[in-house]
Amino acid sequence: PYTTLFRSSDSAELIGRYHWNRIKEQRALQAGEYKMGSITIRAQLLRDHLRVEVLNARHLKPPEVHRGSLAEKMRRSGRLGATKSNINMTRSQKNLDWVKSKFASLKANIHTQGISIHTANTQGQADPYICLRLVPASKFNDTPKHRTQTQRRTLFPLFDETFDFFVSGAHKRRENSYLQIIVKDRGLMGQGIFLGEAYLPLCEVEEDNMDQALADLPQLQLPLTRPQDTESDLVRALDSRIYDRQAREFLKKERRKL
């Protein structure tokens, strides 16, 4: 059963806890354990905006290498689907859920085959790019995400791109807020194949002023990870909220990374 704490928490709070758990997983890794590679950035927090310089990524893994076989993909999908609540679902709702699961299986099959073709065409390399966003999304719905240029056929991409997130009162919104850095492979059809992600807590970015150049700040190397939490009480609590759009959309995005 879900804990009383999770039942009484709203979805935004549960999503915030999920992000914090992801950061703890990231921090548990040692330098020699970066199996999915790493990303190097600089970050500077000013009064009304966050400035981020994306420098490079290292030791990325081609999609087919770390996504595993189609059988493993379907096993994960099946396990996730099994956690979905059937409370108060009518027969028509259950039938619709069954159709959706079959469609999801077909879509995963096509997607996996596309990955295999793309990986073969790039000869074990990738066409990586970086997406940057501030999370939780409910807290920064007025702040757009940013994306780097795509680097062709490399597992050690150099970006050297700088982005500004304009956030009113940024220095006052650091608590329980994070920079999410997602590395993707462009893919055969430009669909964006997940390669890994990293988080930077904004509370760990020192408030600065314009007198200090971003290039003078230390570089931050962050390990890339993939979500592993599929069966915890926190995830099941979110999954049980079948009529909560915020929870449903959040889990949908997370499951695409598996």
Side-chain angles (χ1 to χ4, degrees), residues 101-114:
S101 69
K102 293 300 181 182
F103 178 76
S105 297
L106 176 61
K107 186 176 179 180
N109 194 350
I110 295 173
H111 186 63
T112 302
Q113 295 302 320

Side-chain angles (χ1 to χ4, degrees), residues 41-46 51-53 55 205-209 212-220:
I41 66 170
R42 289 191 181 98
Q44 183 180 38
L45 186 67
L46 305 173
R51 178 166 292 167
V52 180
E53 181 182 13
L55 297 170
V205 181
E206 293 186 11
E207 187 177 354
D208 216 329
N209 56 62
Q212 186 170 18
L214 183 61
D216 295 335
L217 297 178
Q219 298 182 9
L220 304 173

